Amino acid sequence: MKPIIVFMLCIAGANLIRAVVIVAVRKARPKWSSFALSLFVVGILLTNIAHDYSDASGADILSFFGTASFGMAFMAALMMMREAPESATSARRS
């Protein structure tokens, strides 16, 4: 496997662990906008690298993680939109 693919697989794994921890623990309210943006950027990078190194081993796994990152970014954006009215009403009350 090429070093860039191994490095991006590590980044994809770290993002997956971060997503699971944020959703499972939920002690503090995360910043969904920054989480969605970072997942979207990582998804673009993973998909582009998988496309550029399509003949290398591990590129299909990068492509899968890229698509999964797009899905997680979409879900984080939906969570951001769902929680936005709650924070707006609490700001009006104070």
Side-chain angles (χ1 to χ4, degrees):
M1 249 195 261
K2 296 195 181 247
I4 185 84
I5 292 179
V6 174
F7 179 72
M8 290 309 289
L9 282 174
C10 292
I11 289 178
N15 268 340
L16 183 64
I17 290 171
R18 183 176 66 151
V20 168
V21 167
I22 284 176
V23 171
V25 175
R26 289 195 82 174
K27 285 187 178 183
R29 295 176 81 174
K31 298 291 184 191
W32 292 110
S33 59
S34 63
F35 187 55
L37 183 64
S38 69
L39 284 171
F40 185 72
V41 168
V42 167
I44 289 173
L45 288 173
L46 290 173
T47 305
N48 284 340
I49 290 173
H51 180 69
D52 290 344
Y53 295 100
S54 60
D55 57 341
S57 62
D60 52 346
I61 299 171
L62 277 184
S63 179
F64 171 77
F65 274 123
T67 306
S69 292
F70 283 132
M72 289 189 292
F74 181 68
M75 291 303 295
L78 289 177
M79 293 292 288
M80 177 185 64
M81 286 187 266
R82 188 189 88 180
E83 290 184 1
E86 294 173 9
S87 60
T89 53
S90 64
R92 281 188 225 145
R93 290 181 188 161
S94 358

